[in-house]
Structure formats: C-alpha cells, structure tokens
Amino acid sequence: MTKKTQIIVLLAFFCLVLGPFSVHADEWGTITIPAGKPIKIGMGTMLTGDYASLGIDIKHGAEMAVLDHGSILGHSLVLQAEDDGCSGPPSVAIAEKLCNDPSVVGLVGYMCSGGSKPASDIHDKYKVVMVSPSSTALELTARGIPIFFRTCWNDRIQAERAAAFAIKRGWTSVVVLHDKSDYGQSLAEDFGKNIEKRGGKVLASEGLTRGDKDFSPVLTKIKPLRPKLIYFGGMAAEGVLVARQMKRVGLRKTHFMSDDGCYTEKDFIQAGGKASNGCYVTYAKEPDPVWVKRFEAKYGPRQTFSPQAYDAATILMRAVEKAAKKQPDGSLIIGKKALRDAIAATAYDGITGRIAFDAHGDRTGSVVKIYKVVDENGKRFFKQLEF
Amino acid sequence: MSYLLNPQVIIDQIINGLTIGGIYALIALGYTLVYGILFMINFAHGEIFMFGSFGGFAALTYFVNSGFSDTHPGLSIVAAFLAAMVVSAILGALLERIAYRPLRNAPRLAPLISAIGASIFLQNVMMLIIKARMQVYPDIIQEEFLEFGWFSISYFQLFIISGSVLLMVGLYLFIQKTKTGKAMRAVAEDRDAASLMGIDVNRIILITFVIGSALAAAAGVMVGIYYTQIDHMMGFIPGIKAFTAAVLGGIGNVPGAMLGGYFLGLAEAFGVLFMPAEYKDVIAFGLLVLVLIFRPSGILGEVVSERA
Amino acid sequence: MMNTKKIYLPIVVLFLLLLPPMVGNYWTQVLGNIGIYVMLGIGLNVVVGFAGLLDLGYVAFYAIGAYGYALLASPHFGIHIPFWVMLPGCVALAAGGGALLGIPVLRMRGDYLAIVTLGFGEIIRILLNNLDPLTNGPRGLLRIDAPAMGNFVVNSPFRWYYLIFAGIIFSAFVADRLNNSRIGRAWIAMREDQDAAAVMGINILKYKLLAFTIGASFAGIGGAIFAARQGSIFPENFSLMVSINVLCLIIIGGMGSIPGVILGAVILIGLPEILRGVHQYRMLAFGGLLVAMMIFRPTGFIPSARRKMELRE
C-alpha cells in the first residue's frame, strides 16, 4: 500500500466509525452547542408595562418547566427571557437577537399576537422554532409558517364555544364590546358572527379605548336596547370596569361574558368586588391541580397562561432531546428541520391536557371551557361549568 | 337621534357627564391657576393628580389593614382626601422649586420641556414603586343608589358632583375674598408691579402650585373611589383632557375652567350617542384643536392673552 | 473648526460603513433602529431646532409615511408598488400632512402649538386604529414588501443598515444645506424673535409652513423605511412615546446640531439595548435628564456651532 492509499483507507475507516455520529445535513441548517456549554431556551414576554403581571406569570411557567427538566444530554438549560413589550418593534428586535444567538435552540413566546406576527416572519427566515403560550390570533397559524406552534387555542375556537354557550342559555340578543386591540376586536367580532349564525341577534357593537376608565356613556347608550348579554373582548383591566359600570348604569339583568384575558383572580375577581360575581369567562380546561399547587407554592397565585407556558417549554425541550445528536467531543448538533418536525410530531400528556398539533401548528382537540365567578362559602373563584 | 327622545338616556348621560366633568374641572383649575400667573403649561400636572390618587390609596389601604375603616368608614375617606392633598401639595411645591423656578426667565420652550421631563420622571417613579401593576382601591363603602322611578343616581356620583362644586366654590371665594387670593390676582395681572407693592411673588407662586395640586389630588381620590383602578399612566389622558377643559373655558380664567370641565364631560357623554364609542378620545382632542384654531381665548375669554 | 471637521468626517463615515461585519446581525439590527431615530431626529430638528416650533405630534407624519407605503405595497389591497417609487410618494404624503396641520395651527405660538400638535398626533393614531376598512385597524398591515433592485432584495440587517445609512447621509446633507441657506437664516431669525423677524420682512407664516412641511417629509422617509423593514405595522407603533423619544434625543444631543442628533439617538435608543438590565430605569433617567438639561445645559451635549456662537455674543 502506498502512503496515499493508506490515508484513504484510514479516512474511510473513520468515516465508517464516526458516520452514525456525524449529522446528516439538515436542509434548514444546524445548531451546535459546544461541549459543556448550556442550551438556551429563548423567551419573549412582557416584563414591564401594563400587562407585565400576565407576562411574568408566563415567564414563571416556563422557568419552572426548565428547572423541572434539568438538563438535556448532559447540557444544562438556561431560560433567556426578554421583554417583548407585547408589541411589534421590541419583538422584532428580540427575534433578531435570539435567532442570531448560536446557543438558542428555540423560543417560548411571544406573549401577544401583535408581537408574534411580525416576529414569526423573522423566525421563519432563520428557521428557529417558536411555541407561543398565549398568542391566539387566527392569522398566526392560518398563514402557513412552518416554525410556529402554540399551546393555547385560537380565537375562532374560543368565540365559537362562547357563542354556543350563550345561545344555549337563551341569551339571543347580545351587545358586543371590545377594547379595539388586535386580540379583543378579532375575538369579539368572531363571537358576534357565531351568535348570528346560531340564530341570535347582535344589537350593537362598540369599541372602547384601552386605558380609559369611564365606560358609563357607552353603557348608557346600550341600556335602551335591553340586551340579554354583553360580551367583552379584551383584558381584565377594562373588562372588570365594564362589569362594574353595567351595574351602575342600571344594566342589572344583563349578563356579562368575556374571554381568557379576564381569567385572572387578582385583576378580575378581586378588582371587581361584588360586581364580578356571576360574570362568565372562557378559558382552557383547568390545569393539573398537583401542578397548580406546586406552582403556587413557589410563585404565589397563578394568573392565566403559566400552565400553557410550562407545556410550551416542556414540548420544546423534549423535541430538542429527540432531535439532538451527541458528538464524541461532547457537543450537540441539532438539525433545525429535525427539531421542527419533532415538535410537529408531539404527542404528549401535558398539564393542560393532551398536546398534539395539526398541520398548521394549532393544538388538536383543545377545548375551551366556560367559567363563572361564584361566591361559595365566603370564597370567590372561577367555577368551571358543565358544557 | 332617537336617543334624544328618550328622557331616561338624557338624564343618565347628564349625570355621567357631570360626574366626569367635575373631575376634569378640578384638574383643569390647576392648569388655569398656574397659567394665569406663569404663562406656562404645567405638563406634569396630570402626574400630580396621579400621585394624589396614590396618596389616598396608601392612606385607605393603611386604614383597611389597621381595621380603622371598619369602625369609621366616613372618617377614613376624609383622612384619605387630606393625605392625598398633602402628598400632591408637597409634590407640586417641589416641582415648582426644582423644575420651574430656575427657568422662570428662560426662553419659553425651556420650562415646557422641563415639565415634559418632570412628567416622564414622575410616571416612572410611580411605575417602579408599584412595579407596573395596576392597583385597586379598597371597597370601604358599598355603592348604593338613589332611585327616582325611571332613573337612579349612585351615591358616589352624587358625592363627586357635589364635592367638586364645593371645592370650586371654596376656591373662588378664596381668590376673591382673602388677602392671599387678592395677592394671587395681583401677581397674575402684573408680576413686577405686584412685587413693587410688597407682595412676595415667589411665595404666591408656590401657594398657587400648592392649591392647584391639592385640587388635583381631590380629583385623584374621587377617581380612585369611583373607578377603583389606578396606575402610573392614569394622569396622562385626564391631564390632557383637563387642559382642554381649561382652554375651552379660557385659560387663566377660574370660572372658565369649571365651565370647560363640565362642558367637556357632557360633550363626551353625549358625543358617544352619535358616533362609535371608539372615537371618544377624538371628541376631546378634536375640540381642543378646533377651539385653539377658531377661538383661542376660549368660551369665557382668556384672562391675560398678551403674553401668548 | 472646519478643518477638523474635514478630517474627522471621512474617518467616522468609513468606521460606520465597516461596523456591521464587526458587530454581527443583532447589533446591526439595533444600529438600524438607532438609524431610523436619527432620521426622525434630523427631521424634527428642522422644526424644533431650526425654526423653534415645538411639535409634539411628529409621530403623525412618521405614521403617514409608514401607512402610505404599507397600504400600497402589501397584500392588504393587493397593490405592490415598488419601494423606490413609493419613497418620493411617502415624502409627498407626509409633507402634505405637514402642510394640512400647519396651515391652521401656525398662528399659535409656543405652548399652544405643542398641545395642538400633540392632539393631532393622537387623532391620527386613533383614526388608524379605528378606520378598519382602510387600515385594518389594530390588526395591522402584514407582509409588507421589502425594497428590491432586480433580484437584490433588502431583507437582512446588513442590507438595511446600508440603506438606512444612505438615508441618513441624504437627510443630514439636506438639513445641513437648509440650515446654511437663506431659509435657514430666516428660521433662526424667526426662532429668536418672531416680531423682529416679521419687521425685517420675513414672511412668518410661509417660513413656519416650510419648516413643518420639510420636517414632515423626513418623517415620511423614516416611516416608509420602518414599515418596509419591520414587514408589518400596527397603530400602536405610532404612539405619543415616539414623538417624545425623538424630542428627547434632539434635546439631549443638542438642538439644531446633526452630530447631536446622532449622539442623542445612540444614548436614547442604543444604550437601553446595551444595558438591558437597567431598561426599567431608562425613562426615569431621561425624564430627570430633560429637567437637568434645561436648567444646566439647555444647548445639549453637542450644541450646534451657530448656537454656540449665538450664546457667546
């Protein structure tokens, strides 16, 4: 054997031995985590500003999942949470930052649809997966971006369930209010359409101003219409004021119903006082009570989306585990497409129920439940109704 | 238009309008008093209102925690008003001393920019204190209603309407009848001449800030009790609306500010009947722009318009 | 003064041109954000710094530029006019907006003007949020076209950086020429003493209108770039905070001075990115800084040469 053939044979031998370890090239490229370096889970959520308490709750959920999971193939895990301000520009800046960080494998977020929409375009460009715990806008999954998933529901499902419930209760004449936000308006309009589809009547539809506190003029305007139900699409800050001021202007027989934005004990039940009793909201199935106990022991009362954030982070980490290939030198190589496919193939019983995704990234079979604020034995809470 | 044929709607909207109008008027007085003397827009006045609201909140929370409010609910509320007024008065005085007095003879833009800076600063101080979380006034007194057959009025509304009127009448009498009030009018008319007459101009300006701030604080506690939610941004929009009210009535003019406040409150309440509610804020901003273009001296006329 | 400027300017430009490859994608993106604010600052500087008109509704023109481009270059109406065609169009739209606001309000002075422009800015934002059939309301406009030249699409932070850089050079050049022209001198005369300027034969209304219109056109360019770069815009992108931020940066940097605007933008927009941890103290510090600036150094960190001269005399 000449020296040249010796080398070739040697190389062929190495290739055969190391072949299984070397990564078959991923069509979207790969992420390499060097030996001994942590794996970063990115996160975009609101940490300061008006809905910061919701955002911090989301962060706590993901943080707990990361702590529970511990490590992946010998690499420690780090949650890197950034403030997405619940809007476009900061979310885009974070997306550019995290997608260009070589040790970020994927992201939990963003909190609001207004941030997720522009940011998902950037994630799509770099092919970095994102799992949102709380962005419910229909367009997010409808526009066919392969890297977007969510552990919450979409607005359409929520609106359909709420409308079906209202019609079943005989509340056929409704007034639809919303806070003129991306989220609230889409939801409220969808609700109105569903009511009419089921034979009900939408008497009026009005937008409110976020941050305003005086809704009595518009409620006075609604009063002569005598609606059986006022549906509000938006967040708790305004929702609870509508509920309070309905009583004040004399809409005392009209029911009040709202969405997951109002599913928060502190900002809706406590802030609403007696006026919140008897109000209806929609939200997911109650999360696993054992988990809730564990969470509340650690972080105090939960708000809305921490369970969804916990599941989102867990799914992401399980997929990384599946897609990562450990190299002899201890480093990890993760194919971006392989990671995305692993998430898409998720079949897992999370704390919010069975998680599997349809072709668009929406959860299959995720059912929205109806809750009512009740006062039982001196304790006021959201009671899940049979429906 | 059918709304105008419905007397129930009309009466309800008048009550709504007078309630919020009284609050606007109380805040507007602070703008007008300061403008009358210094010819500057105290851009941070909305934040003084906000701090007043939090002062009342802190006091009420303390009374609830100590159990005092269970035995003396009325007294707790009175004490909360006083606490709020003290907080805002001190803040107003500090603001004048630190941010405005050094700039009294500077070009006109300087105090305005300083005021914008102070406004941003105060908002963020409160944001850090409350960790950006909305706070909720404790329910010390349950809201009851006075029923008149086909319409009703809440005790809270009655309280705000009458309370704001009382405070304004008090202020008017103070300015017209007392010696300090007379000095305030003199300084507004001609600062240098007043100074020559032996009036301590700095003291009068400080008093003006203190009075304006205390009135805003009263409005802040009323908002807290009536709407229950308070946050660090709560001063901004009411501040601009109250400024609109002051301009509507003729800035620098005390009865004008009251009139402007009620006018704006009623305009918002009735305006919502004729346009979608999402345009509510356009009413105030639109009125502001229109008045300044077509009748810059306001309904009752600006008291001093020379320096504009 | 002139000589040092001549030496330093090419070095600074060269440095800035070579910066992106050295700092990577993320920081290039941040530099792009700063760059857009520099353009807005240069524009508002014309109104506030040169002409002395306090405009608190500057964001309105930025919004007009952004929505002007986004409506005609996105799937919303299915119209796709190329960026380079729309750019002058956005300038014209924003300038038109400036004139429209300018004509009625220019008789006002100082504080009143500030409040009315603030009201105007808010009205524009509320309209964008509420005129759903036109603007798609709070749901915003998505998938806005990126600028392209043949097959070369401006879609990465690097490419955007150079495009924005070109925009700044152009804006700075125009502003500098304006400042040293007859118009610029008329503005300064008007700023320092309106009545004296009028007596000297300066048509106050004309020059005020000119300042408003020209200032607004810069915002039109900034808006179009912002919309095309972000790829989606929402009414909440155009809140009063943008106007306040731009105003703060020109005051901190130095009213009337272009290097001051750049410094101000770096401090106001860039610093919070570097010091992510102190993010929540940012606005607190700027509020306090504005007050302190007015009392101790009303000309800003880098005052304009002319202002310095004026102060010495």
Side-chain angles (χ1 to χ4, degrees), chain B residues 108-120:
Chain B
R108 280 185 66 108
L109 277 191
L112 185 61
I113 290 168
S114 178
I116 293 173
S119 159
I120 296 172

Side-chain angles (χ1 to χ4, degrees), chain A residues 115-352:
Chain A
S116 285
K117 275 192 243 172
S120 61
D121 283 332
I122 290 169
H123 279 257
D124 192 30
K125 193 166 77 190
Y126 294 104
K127 302 294 179 207
V128 175
V129 289
M130 54 192 281
V131 188
S132 175
S134 52
S135 295
T136 56
L138 195 63
E139 294 102 302
L140 280 167
T141 43
R143 50 201 272 217
I145 287 182
I147 46 72
F148 182 85
F149 299 88
R150 60 179 152 211
T151 51
C152 51
W153 43 91
N154 69 37
D155 289 341
R156 180 171 291 166
I157 300 172
Q158 185 166 205
E160 267 171 15
R161 290 287 293 174
F165 178 79
I167 294 290
K168 197 176 162 217
R169 283 290 172 102
W171 304 332
T172 46
S173 58
V174 304
V175 166
V176 172
L177 296 179
H178 54 80
D179 64 355
K180 245 350 237 193
S181 70
D182 188 339
Y183 164 72
Q185 186 175 357
S186 308
L187 190 59
E189 284 174 0
D190 247 12
F191 176 83
K193 275 182 213 146
N194 275 292
I195 285 284
E196 298 205 313
K197 218 188 315 175
R198 287 162 201 268
K201 199 163 174 338
V202 177
L203 304 172
S205 175
E206 298 267 2
L208 310 176
T209 307
R210 241 158 92 165
D212 192 1
K213 301 200 191 306
D214 189 24
F215 305 126
S216 28
V218 62
L219 291 170
T220 300
K221 180 181 180 184
I222 290 167
K223 198 170 140 190
L225 304 173
R226 299 179 189 284
K228 292 204 171 115
L229 171 72
I230 289 183
Y231 183 85
F232 172 71
M235 308 295 275
E238 287 80 25
V240 75
L241 286 176
V242 170
R244 255 183 199 269
Q245 293 174 17
M246 272 168 67
K247 307 273 183 297
R248 188 173 285 157
V249 304
L251 281 160
R252 280 163 220 169
K253 283 184 192 141
T254 305
H255 296 279
F256 175 86
M257 189 172 190
S258 185
D259 49 41
D260 53 60
C262 287
Y263 182 90
T264 128
E265 293 227 344
K266 184 166 193 303
D267 292 343
F268 192 80
I269 298 188
Q270 290 175 25
K274 272 193 183 157
S276 62
N277 286 357
C279 292
Y280 297 85
V281 303
T282 44
Y283 178 65
K285 192 172 123 233
E286 287 267 24
D288 179 12
V290 179
W291 178 86
V292 174
K293 226 177 231 157
R294 238 167 25 95
F295 180 88
E296 300 202 332
K298 188 161 177 162
Y299 299 108
R302 77 181 180 95
Q303 298 252 341
T304 314
F305 291 108
S306 40
Q308 281 74 20
Y310 183 91
D311 273 351
T314 306
I315 291 168
L316 180 59
M317 290 182 294
R318 285 169 55 92
V320 170
E321 218 151 38
K322 231 196 287 178
K325 298 272 186 297
K326 187 138 189 156
Q327 302 301 303
D329 64 356
S331 66
L332 287 184
I333 292 189
I334 303 157
K336 289 182 177 179
K337 180 94 172 26
L339 178 62
R340 183 263 161 198
D341 290 344
I343 295 180
T346 298
Y348 171 68
D349 286 307
I351 56 159
T352 60

Side-chain angles (χ1 to χ4, degrees), chain B residues 58-251:
Chain B
L60 275 186
T61 311
Y62 173 77
F63 294 141
V64 167
N65 290 340
S66 67
F68 181 73
S69 64
D70 297 334
T71 47
H72 302 88
L75 204 58
S76 315
I77 288 182
V78 173
F81 269 96
L82 291 176
M85 287 169 144
V86 169
V87 167
S88 287
I90 293 173
L91 190 66
L94 282 175
L95 195 66
E96 195 278 325
R97 197 70 193 75
I98 296 169
Y100 303 149
R101 192 178 294 182
L103 296 171
R104 209 171 281 161
N105 296 315
R108 280 185 66 108
L109 277 191
L112 185 61
I113 290 168
S114 178
I116 293 173
S119 159
I120 296 172
F121 181 81
L122 292 175
Q123 275 168 12
N124 283 276
V125 166
M126 188 48 80
M127 188 184 97
L128 291 176
I129 294 176
I130 62 170
K131 300 196 175 62
R133 293 213 50 167
M134 174 183 98
Q135 304 292 317
V136 179
Y137 257 61
D139 277 321
I140 289 187
I141 299 176
Q142 281 300 324
E143 188 169 5
E144 303 282 343
F145 298 87
L146 211 56
E147 304 282 348
F148 293 97
W150 40 270
F151 80 95
S152 68
I153 181 166
S154 142
Y155 279 119
F156 286 9
Q157 291 169 323
L158 213 56
F159 169 70
I160 291 178
I161 295 171
S162 51
S164 56
V165 169
L166 269 179
L167 283 169
M168 285 185 268
V169 171
L171 174 73
Y172 188 74
L173 292 178
F174 177 80
I175 292 177
Q176 295 300 328
K177 305 285 177 202
T178 65
K179 209 168 172 185
T180 316
K182 207 172 186 180
M184 281 168 73
R185 280 182 288 143
V187 174
E189 196 113 333
D190 189 327
R191 201 193 300 164
D192 298 329
S195 172
L196 290 175
M197 294 296 141
I199 294 173
D200 183 348
V201 173
N202 278 339
R203 198 180 127 252
I204 293 299
I205 290 174
L206 206 62
I207 289 175
T208 308
F209 268 88
V210 164
I211 293 175
S213 304
L215 291 174
V221 181
M222 287 176 180
V223 163
I225 292 174
Y226 187 59
Y227 297 113
T228 64
Q229 293 175 357
I230 57 171
D231 58 71
H232 60 282
M233 291 304 291
M234 69 184 282
F236 179 66
I237 292 286
I240 294 184
K241 288 188 177 169
F243 175 77
T244 305
V247 172
L248 275 174
I251 197 153

